Structures are given as structure tokens and as C-alpha cells.
Amino acid sequence: MRFRTGVLAVSLASSLLAACASAPHADKAHIAKVALPAPCPADPSWDEPTAPRHIYANTWYVGTCAISAILITSDAGHILIDGVTDKAAPRIEANIRALGFEPEDVRYIVSSHEHLDHVGGIARLQRDTGASVVAREPAATALERGHSDRSDPQFLSVAKFPPVASVQRIGDGETLRVGPLVLTAHATPGHTAGGTSWTWSSCDGAVCRAMVYADSVTPFSDKIYRYSENAGMVAAFRNSLTTIAELPCDILLTPHPSASRLLERLDPASGIALADTNACRAYAATGTDKLDARLAKEQADRASNAPSHEKPAPSH
């Protein structure tokens, strides 16, 4: 199934209005039930469990200490972004129930990028919820195969994951709707070829926030891949960083919560503001600095005939 481009012309204003009606009436009751979670360890494993957290209005954190999973709710059904690992997927379902929602009411599951730590649990979550899985190419094909290909800079250093059945394709700028929810896909390749960022609006009464789930912006790779030998990927990466920087952005969320200090920002005791209209620009600038540093190192390594980089880093 291909989503029609005719649904793309949704103005930001209309999206905000739609989102204002999207939060379930019981949100305040759900929020009251959410206990303050215990702090996560300083260096948590991917599967380290943590209690769910309320982010804003109809948007909730249901992931682990190290890997994000975001639930966006409405009376018509919910959307889940990312599925963590297969081992941690039951924890996502438990977190959804702990908030007073039902996993079976998740209508769509979408992803940020095609790595085990973010999509490893999607096959299980698809089976358990009955939700449709939606992804942009080439992530959609990777999900169906259970692995990426050489278009992924980390191809040789990342593990396979359980394949996902019948992934629906969505294009750059196309929207996904569940009742009043409107979620927009933005092509942001670079960390992987299928990298995708997602935007929507969440409203608490008349106060609406532009929400951004921005994909990872770190140029990690395996021992073979060199960004400097893949001009098309570098150009796409830079375009992705521009895209993220220019998104309407009140509240930034990221696939690894540490990349945006999300769990700290959700802790009232931290004193760190949850909303920051400069957050996406700052996040993109960090990605630009990392990409420039990576390219400079590859150039220096070529000049000295040294290996381009050390052993592969984790797939953040």
C-alpha cells in the first residue's frame, strides 16, 4: 500500500487544530496514575526497563532507559514510534498498559531507522497489537528482510532482527492519520539510508506544541564504509540536517533519549526545560559538527595511509 501524496497539503495550522482534539478525555486520569520513575543507570543497556513517562498532552514515553519508544494517543486509536529490541518489546506493551491504554488500540507502528535497537521488537509488537507497520524505503525493505544492506554505513557491524510482515510504504512529506492524529514522515537519511524523522502536534487545551522525533544524526559506520567515498550519502546527510534544523520544533525527541537529554527533561527535579524552540537547530548543528569531523578524519587517515577509524561504535 502506498500513501497518496494528496494528503500532504495539511497546513501546520490545521494539524494543530486536529491535534487539539486528539488527546483522549481520560488523559488527566492517566497522568495522575503515572508514578515518578526511578532514575536510570548512568550507562544503561538497551533493554534496561524503566517506567513510562508523560511527555506532553497525548504524547508518552514507553521505551527503555536507553532506547525510545513514543506513544501518541487518541480516542480513535494510537500510533507507536519505534519498537526497541525483541527482548524489550513486552516491556513496551506493559508500559502502555500501565498508562491505562491497550496495546491492541495501536493502529500504526512506525520507525526511525533500520537497526536492531529500534526495530528489533516491531515484529512482535505487530503480532501482539494487530497494528500496521509503516516505513520509508529502504527501511521498509530492510524490515521485511530482517536486515539492512550495504546502503547502511553500519551494515557489517549490526545484527539482524526478526523480519516484519507486510510493511506499508510511506514517502517523504506524506502523512499518516488515525482519527484526528496527523503524523508526517520526513526523509532524513545519513545515519542509515532509510532514516526518517516524524512530526506531529500535541495540544493540552488551547496550548499546542510542535513535536519532533528526529532521527539519529551520528555518522557511525563499520570498518569498511567511508562517508567520503559516498558523495551521495554525504549530500543526503547534509540535506537531512537542514531538514531537521528547519522543522517547527517545540519539543525534541530522539531515538536514544540521551541524545536529547529527554529523560532528564522529563524529570521535574532536573530544572531542564522540556520545550525549547532552538532544540532541533542545536541537534542538527551537533550532527553537522560530527559529520565534518568524520570527513576530516577520513581525509587525514588517507593522507597518512592509516585506517579511517577505530572499531565500529554502537548503532546509536
Side-chain angles (χ1 to χ4, degrees):
M1 175 180 177
R2 182 76 177 180
F3 290 92
R4 295 180 296 107
T5 56
V7 300
L8 303 187
V10 180
S11 68
L12 178 59
S14 63
S15 296
L16 289 172
L17 289 172
C20 285
S22 68
H25 299 302
D27 264 5
K28 293 187 184 301
H30 290 155
I31 294 168
K33 294 178 182 178
V34 179
L36 290 178
C40 286
D43 187 20
S45 70
W46 286 349
D47 303 325
E48 182 73 35
T50 188
R53 292 157 169 82
H54 181 233
I55 299 175
Y56 184 78
N58 62 334
T59 301
W60 312 80
Y61 188 89
V62 294
T64 68
C65 281
I67 309 295
S68 297
I70 305 298
L71 184 71
I72 311 165
T73 60
S74 82
D75 288 333
H78 318 317
I79 298 174
L80 179 67
I81 306 179
D82 275 343
V84 300
T85 64
D86 182 57
K87 179 180 178 181
R91 169 59 59 178
I92 290 185
E93 296 178 25
N95 280 346
I96 292 172
R97 291 191 180 96
L99 293 172
F101 301 109
E102 294 299 329
E104 294 79 9
D105 290 331
V106 174
R107 300 289 178 253
Y108 290 106
I109 302 170
V110 303
S111 66
S112 55
H113 63 267
E114 57 275 30
H115 282 160
L116 169 69
D117 46 336
H118 305 288
V119 302
I122 288 182
R124 181 191 297 262
L125 291 164
Q126 181 190 49
R127 291 193 302 270
D128 292 351
T129 66
S132 298
V133 176
V134 179
R136 195 181 62 80
E137 287 289 12
T141 296
L143 284 169
E144 291 174 336
R145 285 192 308 231
H147 60 87
S148 59
D149 58 24
R150 185 61 276 184
S151 67
D152 178 1
Q154 296 182 66
F155 174 56
L156 299 179
S157 60
V158 292
K160 295 182 179 181
F161 45 82
V164 179
S166 303
V167 178
Q168 299 179 14
R169 272 63 173 171
I170 191 169
D172 179 29
E174 292 185 336
T175 56
L176 188 63
R177 296 173 179 267
V178 175
L181 299 183
V182 181
L183 193 71
T184 302
H186 303 271
T188 49
H191 184 73
T192 69
T196 306
S197 298
W198 300 89
T199 59
W200 66 100
S201 296
S202 288
C203 297
D204 183 0
V207 181
C208 297
R209 299 292 193 188
M211 313 293 290
V212 177
Y213 190 77
D215 192 24
S216 298
V217 293
T218 305
F220 286 140
S221 79
D222 55 38
K223 294 181 179 180
I224 302 300
Y225 189 93
R226 290 171 175 78
Y227 276 89
S228 56
E229 296 174 358
N230 292 272
M233 178 62 101
V234 172
F237 207 154
R238 293 199 185 281
N239 186 66
S240 298
L241 293 165
T242 298
T243 294
I244 291 171
E246 294 178 349
L247 290 171
C249 179
D250 293 322
I251 297 177
L252 171 66
L253 316 174
T254 49
H256 289 265
S258 59
S260 53
R261 301 182 69 184
L262 176 58
L263 299 187
E264 293 176 73
R265 288 157 52 218
L266 294 176
D267 180 358
S270 72
I272 305 172
L274 174 63
D276 178 0
T277 56
N278 190 55
C280 285
R281 287 188 292 272
Y283 182 64
T286 298
T288 298
D289 290 345
K290 290 178 179 178
L291 180 58
D292 288 344
R294 172 62 187 266
L295 292 171
K297 186 176 189 307
E298 288 182 7
Q299 182 178 17
D301 288 344
R302 278 199 306 273
S304 64
N305 293 317
S308 64
H309 45 282
E310 302 302 322
K311 69 178 183 178
S315 58
H316 287 66

